Amino acid sequence: MNAGVVGFVFAFSAAYGVFLVYTSLVFGWRGVGISPRIGRRRPRPSLPDLLVQAGLERVRVVEFLAVVVVLFVVAAAFGYAVYGGAPAALGAGVAAAAIPVASARSRRRARRDLAREAWPRMIEELRLQAVTLGRSIPQALFAVGSRGPEEMRPAFAAAQREWLISTDFDRTLRVLKARLADPTADAVCETLLIAQEVGGTDVDQRLRALIDDRTDDLQGRKDARAKQAGVRFARSFVIVVPVGMALVGLGIGDGRTAFQSAAGQLWVLLAFAMMAGCWAWASRLLRLPDEERVFFDELDGAAGTR
C-alpha cells in the first residue's frame, strides 16, 4: 500500500483520538461520536413498521430485501467495470443497496407531511359533523375519512371494516392509529375515544384547541423549510460534484489505471465514505423534529400488521 495513504490514515486516526481525549477532559463528552447526543434516543421503526408507514404494507419484507440484494449486485458489477477493483465495487453496491431504504423513509416523511396538511381541515369537518350536525362519532369519523386524502383513505376503510365487524370503537381506533402511524391521528383518536365512552360537552372545545395546535405546527414547519430551501439545494452538490469529477478523471490520461491501483481503490472507497458521511450529517442538521407517538402501544402495531 502507498506510504502516503498509510500516513494519512495514521495522522487522521491520531488527530481524531486527540479530539476525543480533549472533548472528554474539557467538556465531559462520552462516546466516539463528534458530539454528544442531545436528548434521549428515539427507537427506530422496524422494517415491517417502516413499510406500513410508507404505504407499502402490501410489500413483504422478503420482497423488499430481494430488491436490496439485486441493486447491490448490479451496482457492484457496474462499479467493478468502471473502477476495476473490489473495494470501489463494494462501495458502489452498498450505496445502491441503501436506495430502497432511503426511498421508503422518503415516502414515510411525505405521508406524514401530507397528514400534517390535511388534519386541520379534517378535524374541523369532524367537529362540524359530530357537534353541529349531531352525527355519532364513528359515523362522523368515517365520513370525514372517506373524503380525506387518497393516501389516507385505505386506513379509514380498514377501520370502518373493523367497526362493522366488531362494533368495538376502541379496537377500531387502534386499527386506524396503526395504519396512519401519525401523532396527530393518535391525539384525535384518543379524544374521540374519550368522547365516545365518557361523553361530555367539551368535545367541541378540545377539537378547536387541537385544530389551533396543528395549524401553528404546520405553519412553523413551512417557514422552517422555506428558510432551508437554498441549503437543501446546495446539499446535492455533495454527490454531484465528486461523482462528476471522478467520471471526468476516468477519461483523462491514465485516470482509469490510477483508479485500478491499490491506493486508487482505497481513495475511491474513502471518497464514498466521506460523501455518505457528509450527506448523512447534512440531513441530520436539516431534519425538523418529529413528534412522538405518545399514545402508541404494541397492540396498535399488531393491529397494523395483520
Side-chain angles (χ1 to χ4, degrees), residues 74-85:
V74 173
F78 178 77
Y80 187 83
V82 173
Y83 296 108

Side-chain angles (χ1 to χ4, degrees), residues 36-212:
R37 185 179 296 276
I38 300 175
R40 63 184 181 88
R41 185 173 183 178
R42 296 180 182 178
R44 293 180 178 273
S46 62
L47 184 55
D49 291 339
L50 178 62
L51 294 178
V52 171
Q53 295 170 5
L56 302 174
E57 57 273 359
R58 296 186 179 182
V59 178
R60 296 183 299 174
V61 175
V62 176
E63 297 172 344
F64 185 81
L65 294 178
V67 173
V68 171
V69 172
V70 170
L71 286 178
F72 174 84
V73 173
V74 173
F78 178 77
Y80 187 83
V82 173
Y83 296 108
L90 179 63
V94 171
I99 292 177
V101 179
S103 176
R105 290 183 179 277
S106 178
R107 287 174 58 94
R108 176 173 174 260
R109 286 193 299 269
R111 284 170 64 89
R112 287 197 168 186
D113 290 342
L114 176 67
R116 290 191 184 99
E117 291 273 356
W119 270 120
R121 176 186 59 79
M122 294 176 66
I123 298 173
E124 176 64 25
E125 186 177 352
L126 180 61
R127 185 187 68 82
L128 293 175
Q129 292 268 354
V131 177
T132 305
L133 300 181
R135 303 186 67 178
S136 67
I137 291 178
Q139 289 179 340
L141 178 64
F142 301 139
V144 170
S146 65
R147 292 190 294 270
E150 189 172 351
E151 291 82 356
M152 300 174 66
R153 292 177 189 175
F156 284 94
Q160 187 172 14
R161 285 195 299 269
E162 183 66 37
W163 170 253
L164 294 175
I165 293 173
S166 64
T167 65
D168 185 341
F169 196 53
D170 183 15
R171 188 177 182 86
T172 299
L173 293 180
R174 286 174 182 249
V175 172
L176 182 61
K177 288 192 295 182
R179 292 297 185 94
L180 293 176
D182 178 67
T184 303
D186 295 343
V188 173
C189 289
E190 291 298 322
T191 302
L192 296 179
L193 180 62
I194 294 174
Q196 175 77 358
E197 295 183 348
V198 179
T201 59
D202 61 343
V203 179
D204 180 66
Q205 180 180 355
R206 292 181 181 275
L207 290 178
R208 283 181 181 273
L210 192 56
I211 292 171
D212 294 338

